[in-house]
Amino acid sequence: MDDVIRLENIVKVYPPSVIAVDNVSVNFRKGEIHAVVGENGAGKSTLMKVLYGLVPRDAGEIYYQNQPVHFRQAGEAIAAGIGMVHQEILLIPEYTVWENIVLGQEPTRLLGQIDRAKARRLVKGKIDEFQFNLDPDALVGEISVAARQKVEILKLLYRNVSVLILDEPTAVLTPQEIPQLFAELGRLRDDGHTILFISHRLEEVLTLSDRVTVMRRGKMIATVDAKSTTKEELARMMVGRDVVLTSRRAAHSAGGVIFQIDHLSYKDGEGRQRLNDINLSVHAGEIVGVAGVEGNGQFELVNSVVGLIKPSTGKIQVQDKDITNAAILERRKLISFVPQDRGKMGASLNASIMENAIMTHHQLDKRFSLWHGLLLNYAHARRFTDGLEKQFSVSMASKFNPFRSLSGGNQQKVILGRELLLDSVFVLLDQPTRGLDVGSIEYVHEQILKMRQEDRAVLLVSADLEELFLLADRIVVMHRGELVADKPIEETTLEEIGYLMLEGKGKAQ
């Protein structure tokens, strides 16, 4: 099989001395699906951005169809036949499918007017050619996340790219949507397209790809045939040690109710019902997982609990204390909270690591204050941060460096450590492993199971069903703002939960 792309001795250094890609050489073949995997900071995304022209390389050569190329921007790569679908979907919700696909490259009539009929016909032809099962006239704002992802791919196919780079293509899909995407990507491969994809989900990597390239700390460790390796071997190459990929949730008896929601409802500012009569409880020593396609009320549920939005009706209790109308700081005396967005809600990226580590503690723990709260006790803050660094295995150069200097995994360790060191028996985790590599995920899972053993009550919101099945004692499913199922983990399957996520209650058998 011929090489369509060769990367030779690629180097990328971020000043002053961070080597993101360290002398990497790899080839991608025509008509193959090739996965690139590695921990956060391993260099895989940077390598793909160098190929795509988003990041300039410092050394090395790129050969495309046996010719040296040096793309200075993404438009040059697309014109040459290489396209990239990013994890963040960038479409216009008010436009139709076909309008989004042709945007920027519309067919025109003699006087420069857009030929709408021809544009729609061309898009319909691409949909039929690649069997993508899309309605060209549907508004993008009204279709599923999986369908939007197909629109992004079709935007590139419409521009006649032959190489597709996909960044975490299944991150926001349900189990039912993934096989269809894989089938469509398989047809593209069989049609001669080359597909490169970045993923953390090793089982999917082995299911979809023909070959897998593993990176660690900027270096290429190996390229292997997917059929001749295993999840465990890939994880070992990624991390440099054995990684536990199976559930270690031991039998544990749950105690009394710690967290309870009764008849919670919420309407947004436009009068739309976002939460509808939610009833939910979590016991001491229990992990309850919240599953649902994104946008079905999970965000509003979390924000209601932590006090960022006020519910229309209902009651929220922690340890029999009504916090429905409590101030955020009063809630934080009872709730440890790890938000889904580390940069916007979980931390201040420009503040120091120490300042982020002591957040909330400095208001609830008198040892952090001097002169009746007028001054911060820096000595205690330093000791606290040093203890967090050691206890949660945070890799940092200096506690005084900005928080943004940490890798994603280490940022999450700081936030998780900060919250677990609060004296609270209820823990709310919203997508705690999103964007993390396999080694960091293993660590976070260990901490979550440790909370359970300590008889803390854990509410875990996750878009990753496999994660919920590894950790949760019960799974509740949200669909259009309602809880449509509450099932012990032993009495359900991943397929049933996925079906309920898509269809709602009363449909799964």
Side-chain angles (χ1 to χ4, degrees):
M1 193 179 295
D2 295 333
D3 291 342
V4 65
I5 294 172
R6 293 198 324 274
L7 306 181
E8 295 186 357
N9 308 115
I10 299 297
V11 175
K12 176 61 189 175
V13 180
Y14 288 107
S17 59
V18 178
I19 304 175
V21 179
D22 190 357
N23 200 37
V24 170
S25 297
V26 62
N27 67 307
F28 304 114
R29 298 168 180 167
K30 179 179 173 61
E32 78 165 346
I33 298 179
H34 194 127
V36 181
V37 301
E39 292 189 278
N40 282 1
K44 56 189 184 300
S45 294
T46 301
L47 185 68
M48 292 297 101
K49 289 176 181 177
V50 166
L51 168 60
Y52 194 50
L54 293 176
V55 172
R57 62 187 184 268
D58 294 305
E61 296 294 335
I62 299 175
Y63 295 89
Y64 176 53
Q65 296 177 342
N66 292 319
Q67 298 296 318
V69 294
H70 197 135
F71 302 130
R72 290 164 294 183
Q73 56 185 3
E76 294 180 4
I78 292 173
I82 301 173
M84 186 170 184
V85 177
H86 300 276
Q87 195 169 345
E88 300 81 17
I89 296 175
L90 303 174
L91 299 171
I92 300 176
E94 295 80 10
Y95 281 18
T96 65
V97 166
W98 74 260
E99 287 170 332
N100 270 279
I101 288 172
V102 304
L103 186 63
Q105 201 166 320
E106 303 90 342
T108 57
R109 296 192 180 95
L110 186 61
L111 298 177
Q113 288 184 315
I114 296 174
D115 191 335
R116 298 174 64 85
K118 183 179 180 180
R120 186 191 180 282
R121 187 169 64 251
L122 289 172
V123 170
K124 183 65 166 63
K126 288 292 182 183
I127 291 172
D128 294 341
E129 178 184 353
F130 297 109
Q131 303 176 51
F132 262 40
N133 190 28
L134 284 169
D135 178 1
D137 300 311
L139 289 176
V140 162
E142 297 177 357
I143 62 179
S144 69
V145 174
R148 291 176 208 166
Q149 194 168 59
K150 294 176 191 178
V151 174
E152 288 276 25
I153 294 172
L154 275 169
K155 279 176 64 177
L156 297 172
L157 296 176
Y158 173 79
R159 288 155 176 78
N160 295 315
V161 303
S162 58
V163 177
L164 280 169
I165 305 170
L166 308 179
D167 186 3
E168 296 284 354
T170 65
V172 293
L173 304 186
T174 68
Q176 280 67 29
E177 294 169 317
I178 291 169
Q180 185 182 12
L181 175 65
F182 282 10
E184 288 157 347
L185 294 178
R187 285 194 293 270
L188 289 174
R189 172 193 57 196
D190 296 342
D191 193 50
H193 289 77
T194 299
I195 298 168
L196 318 179
F197 79 104
I198 301 167
S199 180
H200 288 114
R201 300 182 176 184
L202 298 184
E203 190 165 331
E204 293 176 3
V205 165
L206 294 177
T207 299
L208 179 61
S209 59
D210 300 298
R211 292 193 300 153
V212 184
T213 290
V214 181
M215 295 184 67
R216 186 168 78 238
R217 296 180 182 177
K219 296 181 180 292
M220 195 192 86
I221 302 301
T223 296
V224 296
D225 289 331
K227 291 180 180 178
S228 64
T229 190
T230 64
K231 287 194 300 181
E232 290 74 17
E233 289 175 352
L234 288 177
R236 190 180 305 116
M237 286 189 283
M238 288 167 59
V239 181
R241 59 175 174 80
D242 289 334
V243 178
V244 177
L245 298 173
T246 56
S247 177
R248 292 185 294 189
R249 182 169 48 88
H252 184 71
S253 298
V257 174
I258 296 295
F259 172 75
Q260 185 163 331
I261 290 176
D262 295 305
H263 305 293
L264 192 75
S265 296
Y266 169 70
K267 289 184 179 180
D268 64 18
E270 298 178 1
R272 290 174 293 195
Q273 193 80 40
R274 296 300 189 182
L275 297 175
N276 186 23
D277 198 30
I278 301 292
N279 293 281
L280 175 65
S281 64
V282 187
H283 295 72
E286 180 183 42
I287 300 172
V288 174
V290 180
V293 176
E294 292 200 27
N296 276 264
Q298 304 96 306
F299 182 73
E300 290 79 9
L301 176 65
V302 169
N303 283 351
S304 294
V305 173
V306 297
L308 294 176
I309 62 175
K310 182 176 175 57
S312 308
T313 60
K315 188 176 182 180
I316 305 171
Q317 295 182 89
V318 179
Q319 289 183 302
D320 295 324
K321 183 176 181 178
D322 187 347
I323 63 167
T324 312
N325 298 307
I328 290 177
L329 187 58
E330 288 300 308
R331 297 171 192 246
R332 296 291 275 136
K333 295 176 181 178
L334 300 166
I335 300 173
S336 293
F337 173 48
V338 176
Q340 63 174 265
D341 192 323
R342 290 190 292 272
K344 292 182 179 178
M345 289 186 65
S348 173
L349 295 177
N350 293 324
S352 71
I353 297 168
M354 184 179 77
E355 288 171 317
N356 277 278
I358 67 171
M359 285 179 181
T360 304
H361 290 269
H362 76 289
Q363 291 187 299
L364 300 181
D365 188 341
K366 293 181 180 179
R367 291 174 296 176
F368 284 89
S369 65
L370 296 172
W371 294 94
H372 307 288
L374 296 176
L375 297 175
L376 176 68
N377 186 339
Y378 276 94
H380 185 72
R382 288 194 294 269
R383 288 194 297 271
F384 179 85
T385 306
D386 289 340
L388 187 151
E389 176 186 6
K390 183 177 180 180
Q391 184 175 344
F392 292 91
S393 303
V394 182
S395 178
M396 66 174 81
S398 167
K399 67 177 75 68
F400 303 110
N401 285 349
F403 192 74
R404 66 169 64 254
S405 68
L406 295 174
S407 69
N410 282 300
Q411 288 181 6
Q412 195 72 346
K413 286 181 180 180
V414 171
I415 295 170
L416 191 67
R418 178 188 72 205
E419 297 303 313
L420 297 192
L421 290 172
L422 289 170
D423 185 22
S424 54
V425 72
F426 175 59
V427 183
L428 176 58
L429 305 173
D430 189 5
Q431 315 291 350
T433 62
R434 173 173 284 171
L436 298 187
D437 56 70
V438 65
S440 297
I441 288 171
E442 179 196 38
Y443 179 86
V444 173
H445 285 179
E446 287 176 356
Q447 298 304 314
I448 294 172
L449 291 173
K450 184 179 178 182
M451 298 178 219
R452 178 175 176 266
Q453 289 300 116
E454 295 171 347
D455 282 331
R456 301 173 92 164
V458 181
L459 186 64
L460 170 62
V461 182
S462 178
D464 185 344
L465 280 190
E466 291 183 2
E467 177 170 72
L468 294 181
F469 272 80
L470 282 175
L471 299 174
D473 299 288
R474 286 188 290 131
I475 293 184
V476 299
V477 181
M478 296 199 70
H479 179 74
R480 296 182 179 177
E482 297 184 357
L483 281 188
V484 297
D486 184 342
K487 292 180 174 288
I489 202 72
E490 296 82 6
E491 298 177 15
T492 188
T493 63
L494 189 145
E495 289 73 23
E496 180 186 27
I497 296 299
Y499 194 94
L500 289 164
M501 287 166 61
L502 288 175
E503 301 296 335
K505 56 189 175 183
K507 302 289 181 70
Q509 299 298 320

PDB file of all heavy atoms in Angstrom, residues 244-268:
ATOM      1  N   VAL A 244      -4.490  -0.318  34.843  1.00  0.00           N
ATOM      2  CA  VAL A 244      -5.696  -1.101  35.104  1.00  0.00           C
ATOM      3  C   VAL A 244      -6.849  -0.519  34.296  1.00  0.00           C
ATOM      4  O   VAL A 244      -7.201   0.648  34.459  1.00  0.00           O
ATOM      5  CB  VAL A 244      -6.043  -1.090  36.607  1.00  0.00           C
ATOM      6  CG1 VAL A 244      -7.346  -1.852  36.855  1.00  0.00           C
ATOM      7  CG2 VAL A 244      -4.905  -1.710  37.412  1.00  0.00           C
ATOM      8  N   LEU A 245      -7.431  -1.339  33.410  1.00  0.00           N
ATOM      9  CA  LEU A 245      -8.498  -0.869  32.525  1.00  0.00           C
ATOM     10  C   LEU A 245      -9.850  -1.487  32.861  1.00  0.00           C
ATOM     11  O   LEU A 245     -10.832  -1.236  32.172  1.00  0.00           O
ATOM     12  CB  LEU A 245      -8.139  -1.188  31.070  1.00  0.00           C
ATOM     13  CG  LEU A 245      -6.858  -0.511  30.546  1.00  0.00           C
ATOM     14  CD1 LEU A 245      -6.519  -1.031  29.166  1.00  0.00           C
ATOM     15  CD2 LEU A 245      -7.002   0.997  30.546  1.00  0.00           C
ATOM     16  N   THR A 246      -9.896  -2.306  33.919  1.00  0.00           N
ATOM     17  CA  THR A 246     -11.151  -2.947  34.314  1.00  0.00           C
ATOM     18  C   THR A 246     -11.622  -2.375  35.641  1.00  0.00           C
ATOM     19  O   THR A 246     -10.869  -1.723  36.367  1.00  0.00           O
ATOM     20  CB  THR A 246     -10.967  -4.464  34.437  1.00  0.00           C
ATOM     21  OG1 THR A 246      -9.900  -4.720  35.370  1.00  0.00           O
ATOM     22  CG2 THR A 246     -10.623  -5.074  33.097  1.00  0.00           C
ATOM     23  N   SER A 247     -12.862  -2.638  35.979  1.00  0.00           N
ATOM     24  CA  SER A 247     -13.446  -2.078  37.193  1.00  0.00           C
ATOM     25  C   SER A 247     -12.836  -2.720  38.435  1.00  0.00           C
ATOM     26  O   SER A 247     -12.640  -3.930  38.495  1.00  0.00           O
ATOM     27  CB  SER A 247     -14.961  -2.293  37.205  1.00  0.00           C
ATOM     28  OG  SER A 247     -15.519  -1.821  38.417  1.00  0.00           O
ATOM     29  N   ARG A 248     -12.526  -1.866  39.421  1.00  0.00           N
ATOM     30  CA  ARG A 248     -12.064  -2.358  40.717  1.00  0.00           C
ATOM     31  C   ARG A 248     -13.060  -1.974  41.807  1.00  0.00           C
ATOM     32  O   ARG A 248     -12.699  -1.826  42.967  1.00  0.00           O
ATOM     33  CB  ARG A 248     -10.678  -1.793  41.019  1.00  0.00           C
ATOM     34  CG  ARG A 248      -9.620  -2.352  40.098  1.00  0.00           C
ATOM     35  CD  ARG A 248      -8.237  -1.887  40.471  1.00  0.00           C
ATOM     36  NE  ARG A 248      -8.067  -0.447  40.279  1.00  0.00           N
ATOM     37  CZ  ARG A 248      -6.893   0.177  40.370  1.00  0.00           C
ATOM     38  NH1 ARG A 248      -5.812  -0.497  40.667  1.00  0.00           N
ATOM     39  NH2 ARG A 248      -6.809   1.478  40.175  1.00  0.00           N
ATOM     40  N   ARG A 249     -14.311  -1.826  41.410  1.00  0.00           N
ATOM     41  CA  ARG A 249     -15.361  -1.453  42.366  1.00  0.00           C
ATOM     42  C   ARG A 249     -15.715  -2.668  43.215  1.00  0.00           C
ATOM     43  O   ARG A 249     -16.369  -3.596  42.764  1.00  0.00           O
ATOM     44  CB  ARG A 249     -16.585  -0.951  41.590  1.00  0.00           C
ATOM     45  CG  ARG A 249     -17.741  -0.476  42.458  1.00  0.00           C
ATOM     46  CD  ARG A 249     -18.783   0.243  41.613  1.00  0.00           C
ATOM     47  NE  ARG A 249     -19.121  -0.524  40.431  1.00  0.00           N
ATOM     48  CZ  ARG A 249     -20.076  -1.460  40.395  1.00  0.00           C
ATOM     49  NH1 ARG A 249     -20.788  -1.731  41.463  1.00  0.00           N
ATOM     50  NH2 ARG A 249     -20.334  -2.093  39.270  1.00  0.00           N
ATOM     51  N   ALA A 250     -15.254  -2.659  44.465  1.00  0.00           N
ATOM     52  CA  ALA A 250     -15.487  -3.775  45.368  1.00  0.00           C
ATOM     53  C   ALA A 250     -16.868  -3.646  46.008  1.00  0.00           C
ATOM     54  O   ALA A 250     -17.476  -2.574  46.014  1.00  0.00           O
ATOM     55  CB  ALA A 250     -14.402  -3.801  46.441  1.00  0.00           C
ATOM     56  N   ALA A 251     -17.362  -4.754  46.545  1.00  0.00           N
ATOM     57  CA  ALA A 251     -18.647  -4.727  47.237  1.00  0.00           C
ATOM     58  C   ALA A 251     -18.569  -3.772  48.419  1.00  0.00           C
ATOM     59  O   ALA A 251     -17.583  -3.751  49.166  1.00  0.00           O
ATOM     60  CB  ALA A 251     -18.999  -6.130  47.713  1.00  0.00           C
ATOM     61  N   HIS A 252     -19.599  -2.959  48.579  1.00  0.00           N
ATOM     62  CA  HIS A 252     -19.607  -1.968  49.652  1.00  0.00           C
ATOM     63  C   HIS A 252     -21.055  -1.629  49.979  1.00  0.00           C
ATOM     64  O   HIS A 252     -21.846  -1.306  49.091  1.00  0.00           O
ATOM     65  CB  HIS A 252     -18.856  -0.707  49.221  1.00  0.00           C
ATOM     66  CG  HIS A 252     -18.729   0.315  50.306  1.00  0.00           C
ATOM     67  ND1 HIS A 252     -17.905   0.140  51.396  1.00  0.00           N
ATOM     68  CD2 HIS A 252     -19.331   1.526  50.482  1.00  0.00           C
ATOM     69  CE1 HIS A 252     -17.984   1.202  52.189  1.00  0.00           C
ATOM     70  NE2 HIS A 252     -18.845   2.055  51.656  1.00  0.00           N
ATOM     71  N   SER A 253     -21.408  -1.702  51.240  1.00  0.00           N
ATOM     72  CA  SER A 253     -22.785  -1.435  51.656  1.00  0.00           C
ATOM     73  C   SER A 253     -23.024   0.062  51.763  1.00  0.00           C
ATOM     74  O   SER A 253     -22.257   0.775  52.421  1.00  0.00           O
ATOM     75  CB  SER A 253     -23.067  -2.095  53.006  1.00  0.00           C
ATOM     76  OG  SER A 253     -22.939  -3.501  52.907  1.00  0.00           O
ATOM     77  N   ALA A 254     -24.082   0.528  51.134  1.00  0.00           N
ATOM     78  CA  ALA A 254     -24.429   1.947  51.194  1.00  0.00           C
ATOM     79  C   ALA A 254     -25.099   2.274  52.517  1.00  0.00           C
ATOM     80  O   ALA A 254     -25.776   1.429  53.119  1.00  0.00           O
ATOM     81  CB  ALA A 254     -25.342   2.309  50.034  1.00  0.00           C
ATOM     82  N   GLY A 255     -24.900   3.502  52.982  1.00  0.00           N
ATOM     83  CA  GLY A 255     -25.505   3.946  54.234  1.00  0.00           C
ATOM     84  C   GLY A 255     -26.759   4.757  53.992  1.00  0.00           C
ATOM     85  O   GLY A 255     -27.504   4.535  53.024  1.00  0.00           O
ATOM     86  N   GLY A 256     -27.003   5.725  54.842  1.00  0.00           N
ATOM     87  CA  GLY A 256     -28.206   6.535  54.734  1.00  0.00           C
ATOM     88  C   GLY A 256     -28.119   7.556  53.623  1.00  0.00           C
ATOM     89  O   GLY A 256     -27.065   7.809  53.038  1.00  0.00           O
ATOM     90  N   VAL A 257     -29.253   8.185  53.342  1.00  0.00           N
ATOM     91  CA  VAL A 257     -29.321   9.186  52.283  1.00  0.00           C
ATOM     92  C   VAL A 257     -28.532  10.428  52.695  1.00  0.00           C
ATOM     93  O   VAL A 257     -28.731  10.977  53.778  1.00  0.00           O
ATOM     94  CB  VAL A 257     -30.777   9.573  51.969  1.00  0.00           C
ATOM     95  CG1 VAL A 257     -30.824  10.731  50.977  1.00  0.00           C
ATOM     96  CG2 VAL A 257     -31.533   8.370  51.410  1.00  0.00           C
ATOM     97  N   ILE A 258     -27.614  10.860  51.831  1.00  0.00           N
ATOM     98  CA  ILE A 258     -26.813  12.064  52.064  1.00  0.00           C
ATOM     99  C   ILE A 258     -27.311  13.223  51.215  1.00  0.00           C
ATOM    100  O   ILE A 258     -27.410  14.360  51.675  1.00  0.00           O
ATOM    101  CB  ILE A 258     -25.325  11.799  51.756  1.00  0.00           C
ATOM    102  CG1 ILE A 258     -24.752  10.763  52.712  1.00  0.00           C
ATOM    103  CG2 ILE A 258     -24.519  13.096  51.802  1.00  0.00           C
ATOM    104  CD1 ILE A 258     -24.721  11.202  54.152  1.00  0.00           C
ATOM    105  N   PHE A 259     -27.641  12.925  49.958  1.00  0.00           N
ATOM    106  CA  PHE A 259     -28.061  13.965  49.013  1.00  0.00           C
ATOM    107  C   PHE A 259     -29.422  13.598  48.460  1.00  0.00           C
ATOM    108  O   PHE A 259     -29.668  12.445  48.087  1.00  0.00           O
ATOM    109  CB  PHE A 259     -27.053  14.070  47.879  1.00  0.00           C
ATOM    110  CG  PHE A 259     -27.467  14.973  46.743  1.00  0.00           C
ATOM    111  CD1 PHE A 259     -27.419  16.352  46.873  1.00  0.00           C
ATOM    112  CD2 PHE A 259     -27.918  14.435  45.545  1.00  0.00           C
ATOM    113  CE1 PHE A 259     -27.813  17.178  45.847  1.00  0.00           C
ATOM    114  CE2 PHE A 259     -28.308  15.254  44.495  1.00  0.00           C
ATOM    115  CZ  PHE A 259     -28.254  16.629  44.650  1.00  0.00           C
ATOM    116  N   GLN A 260     -30.315  14.589  48.398  1.00  0.00           N
ATOM    117  CA  GLN A 260     -31.664  14.301  47.909  1.00  0.00           C
ATOM    118  C   GLN A 260     -32.248  15.500  47.174  1.00  0.00           C
ATOM    119  O   GLN A 260     -32.113  16.653  47.609  1.00  0.00           O
ATOM    120  CB  GLN A 260     -32.581  13.912  49.077  1.00  0.00           C
ATOM    121  CG  GLN A 260     -33.966  13.470  48.620  1.00  0.00           C
ATOM    122  CD  GLN A 260     -34.698  12.712  49.716  1.00  0.00           C
ATOM    123  OE1 GLN A 260     -34.071  12.061  50.550  1.00  0.00           O
ATOM    124  NE2 GLN A 260     -36.014  12.790  49.709  1.00  0.00           N
ATOM    125  N   ILE A 261     -32.872  15.203  46.030  1.00  0.00           N
ATOM    126  CA  ILE A 261     -33.604  16.202  45.251  1.00  0.00           C
ATOM    127  C   ILE A 261     -35.052  15.738  45.172  1.00  0.00           C
ATOM    128  O   ILE A 261     -35.322  14.573  44.863  1.00  0.00           O
ATOM    129  CB  ILE A 261     -33.028  16.334  43.825  1.00  0.00           C
ATOM    130  CG1 ILE A 261     -31.651  16.984  43.858  1.00  0.00           C
ATOM    131  CG2 ILE A 261     -33.950  17.144  42.936  1.00  0.00           C
ATOM    132  CD1 ILE A 261     -30.990  17.052  42.496  1.00  0.00           C
ATOM    133  N   ASP A 262     -35.984  16.649  45.432  1.00  0.00           N
ATOM    134  CA  ASP A 262     -37.409  16.318  45.362  1.00  0.00           C
ATOM    135  C   ASP A 262     -38.121  17.273  44.421  1.00  0.00           C
ATOM    136  O   ASP A 262     -38.094  18.502  44.617  1.00  0.00           O
ATOM    137  CB  ASP A 262     -38.048  16.418  46.752  1.00  0.00           C
ATOM    138  CG  ASP A 262     -37.495  15.385  47.722  1.00  0.00           C
ATOM    139  OD1 ASP A 262     -37.549  14.190  47.398  1.00  0.00           O
ATOM    140  OD2 ASP A 262     -36.987  15.793  48.785  1.00  0.00           O
ATOM    141  N   HIS A 263     -38.731  16.711  43.381  1.00  0.00           N
ATOM    142  CA  HIS A 263     -39.612  17.446  42.459  1.00  0.00           C
ATOM    143  C   HIS A 263     -38.967  18.729  41.922  1.00  0.00           C
ATOM    144  O   HIS A 263     -39.601  19.793  41.864  1.00  0.00           O
ATOM    145  CB  HIS A 263     -40.948  17.775  43.141  1.00  0.00           C
ATOM    146  CG  HIS A 263     -41.646  16.571  43.689  1.00  0.00           C
ATOM    147  ND1 HIS A 263     -42.166  15.590  42.886  1.00  0.00           N
ATOM    148  CD2 HIS A 263     -41.869  16.179  44.983  1.00  0.00           C
ATOM    149  CE1 HIS A 263     -42.713  14.642  43.637  1.00  0.00           C
ATOM    150  NE2 HIS A 263     -42.532  14.969  44.909  1.00  0.00           N
ATOM    151  N   LEU A 264     -37.720  18.617  41.503  1.00  0.00           N
ATOM    152  CA  LEU A 264     -36.972  19.776  41.016  1.00  0.00           C
ATOM    153  C   LEU A 264     -37.334  20.071  39.560  1.00  0.00           C
ATOM    154  O   LEU A 264     -37.252  19.191  38.697  1.00  0.00           O
ATOM    155  CB  LEU A 264     -35.470  19.520  41.133  1.00  0.00           C
ATOM    156  CG  LEU A 264     -34.566  20.737  40.925  1.00  0.00           C
ATOM    157  CD1 LEU A 264     -34.628  21.635  42.153  1.00  0.00           C
ATOM    158  CD2 LEU A 264     -33.132  20.303  40.665  1.00  0.00           C
ATOM    159  N   SER A 265     -37.698  21.309  39.298  1.00  0.00           N
ATOM    160  CA  SER A 265     -37.989  21.758  37.938  1.00  0.00           C
ATOM    161  C   SER A 265     -37.304  23.095  37.697  1.00  0.00           C
ATOM    162  O   SER A 265     -37.043  23.856  38.634  1.00  0.00           O
ATOM    163  CB  SER A 265     -39.494  21.900  37.705  1.00  0.00           C
ATOM    164  OG  SER A 265     -40.139  20.641  37.799  1.00  0.00           O
ATOM    165  N   TYR A 266     -37.023  23.358  36.418  1.00  0.00           N
ATOM    166  CA  TYR A 266     -36.379  24.630  36.070  1.00  0.00           C
ATOM    167  C   TYR A 266     -36.761  25.042  34.664  1.00  0.00           C
ATOM    168  O   TYR A 266     -36.695  24.250  33.720  1.00  0.00           O
ATOM    169  CB  TYR A 266     -34.856  24.498  36.178  1.00  0.00           C
ATOM    170  CG  TYR A 266     -34.102  25.671  35.589  1.00  0.00           C
ATOM    171  CD1 TYR A 266     -34.124  26.922  36.209  1.00  0.00           C
ATOM    172  CD2 TYR A 266     -33.384  25.544  34.403  1.00  0.00           C
ATOM    173  CE1 TYR A 266     -33.443  27.996  35.665  1.00  0.00           C
ATOM    174  CE2 TYR A 266     -32.696  26.615  33.851  1.00  0.00           C
ATOM    175  CZ  TYR A 266     -32.731  27.839  34.479  1.00  0.00           C
ATOM    176  OH  TYR A 266     -32.068  28.901  33.939  1.00  0.00           O
ATOM    177  N   LYS A 267     -37.174  26.316  34.522  1.00  0.00           N
ATOM    178  CA  LYS A 267     -37.413  26.913  33.216  1.00  0.00           C
ATOM    179  C   LYS A 267     -36.371  28.004  32.995  1.00  0.00           C
ATOM    180  O   LYS A 267     -36.072  28.770  33.915  1.00  0.00           O
ATOM    181  CB  LYS A 267     -38.815  27.508  33.127  1.00  0.00           C
ATOM    182  CG  LYS A 267     -39.930  26.480  33.062  1.00  0.00           C
ATOM    183  CD  LYS A 267     -41.289  27.154  32.885  1.00  0.00           C
ATOM    184  CE  LYS A 267     -42.395  26.113  32.784  1.00  0.00           C
ATOM    185  NZ  LYS A 267     -43.734  26.736  32.612  1.00  0.00           N
ATOM    186  N   ASP A 268     -35.823  28.064  31.768  1.00  0.00           N
ATOM    187  CA  ASP A 268     -34.819  29.083  31.493  1.00  0.00           C
ATOM    188  C   ASP A 268     -35.486  30.439  31.250  1.00  0.00           C
ATOM    189  O   ASP A 268     -36.713  30.573  31.351  1.00  0.00           O
ATOM    190  CB  ASP A 268     -33.925  28.677  30.319  1.00  0.00           C
ATOM    191  CG  ASP A 268     -34.676  28.554  28.991  1.00  0.00           C
ATOM    192  OD1 ASP A 268     -35.800  29.101  28.876  1.00  0.00           O
ATOM    193  OD2 ASP A 268     -34.160  27.912  28.057  1.00  0.00           O
TER     194      ASP A 268
END
